[in-house]
Amino acid sequence: WHMPYKAKSDLTKAAIKKSFLALLNEKPINQVSVRDIAEGCGFNRNTIYYHYDDIPCLVEEIVIETAEKIISDYSDYHEACIDKMAEFALEHKRTVLNIYNSSNRSVYELYLMKVCGSVVENYLHTVFGDVKADPESREILVWFYKCECFGQIIDWLNCAMNYNISEQFSKLCKLREGFVD
């Protein structure tokens, strides 16, 4: 019996990501080498390079997959999406802060903005329901709240995640309940 190539490739990539994330939990990203990743997962460096051009490509794939999974799993629950994002970040605090404070920050921010956009779209759909609004006004509201959400999360990251962002977002949503009118 032979494992299909795609399944074997997926397992290899999962092992590489696991090794990399374990290393990021121990030290900053600029101190992690491809050799370290290879040693951590028991592969040679060529195997790492076969799947990823470099460490930034590995970071990008991890960030994209994580963001898309959170969006997919919680697309109908705007507050749960923020809660899940915060929970994930806190569970992997050192890793998240190491990526956030690295030269790969722009990739992280790009997908954080995507998560914020998804959360805001769902939030506005839930809060506004069938309220008629012209597309341009709706687009402006999405943009405004997406940027606000993004800014709140960036502040939280800059404060080393030292306050309860889920509670803050929950209170903010309650404060906004009167804005619809």
Side-chain angles (χ1 to χ4, degrees), residues 68-178:
E68 289 180 352
K69 177 146 179 47
I70 290 172
I71 290 169
S72 168
D73 290 352
Y74 297 92
S75 64
D76 294 338
Y77 311 101
H78 54 277
E79 284 187 57
C81 190
I82 293 290
D83 290 345
K84 189 62 180 173
M85 181 275 314
E87 180 183 308
F88 176 86
L90 288 169
E91 284 175 15
H92 304 93
K93 185 174 183 174
R94 189 162 183 190
T95 301
V96 168
L97 290 174
N98 278 335
I99 291 172
Y100 177 68
N101 292 315
S102 76
S103 61
N104 299 353
R105 177 186 229 154
S106 62
V107 171
Y108 185 80
E109 288 177 345
L110 178 70
Y111 286 92
L112 176 58
M113 186 64 89
K114 183 177 178 180
V115 170
C116 291
S118 177
V119 168
V120 167
E121 286 279 354
N122 292 319
Y123 171 75
L124 291 178
H125 178 71
T126 302
V127 172
F128 289 116
D130 294 329
V131 172
K132 300 290 184 213
D134 66 278
E136 184 180 358
S137 295
R138 187 172 187 81
E139 191 175 309
I140 290 169
L141 281 173
V142 168
W143 171 81
F144 176 79
Y145 287 126
K146 173 177 74 172
C147 291
E148 180 187 40
C149 180
F150 178 82
Q152 292 285 332
I153 294 168
I154 292 297
D155 181 69
W156 181 61
L157 291 168
N158 286 330
C159 292
M161 300 185 236
N162 286 331
Y163 60 87
N164 187 335
I165 195 167
S166 294
E167 185 177 300
Q168 183 170 323
F169 270 106
S170 180
K171 287 179 181 177
L172 191 57
C173 288
K174 286 187 187 353
L175 289 170
R176 282 208 185 103
E177 287 176 0

Side-chain angles (χ1 to χ4, degrees), residues 19-68:
S19 172
F20 177 63
L21 291 172
L23 288 164
L24 278 184
N25 199 35
E26 298 170 11
K27 54 188 170 182
I29 197 169
N30 64 349
Q31 293 178 10
V32 175
S33 69
V34 172
R35 181 182 316 267
D36 295 334
I37 298 167
E39 288 174 6
C41 60
F43 299 131
N44 64 43
R45 292 176 65 225
N46 290 337
T47 301
I48 310 297
Y49 284 118
Y50 177 79
H51 292 284
Y52 301 99
D53 291 339
D54 52 22
I55 290 177
C57 289
L58 175 57
V59 169
E60 184 172 358
E61 186 169 304
I62 290 169
V63 170
I64 290 169
E65 285 178 354
T66 303
E68 289 180 352

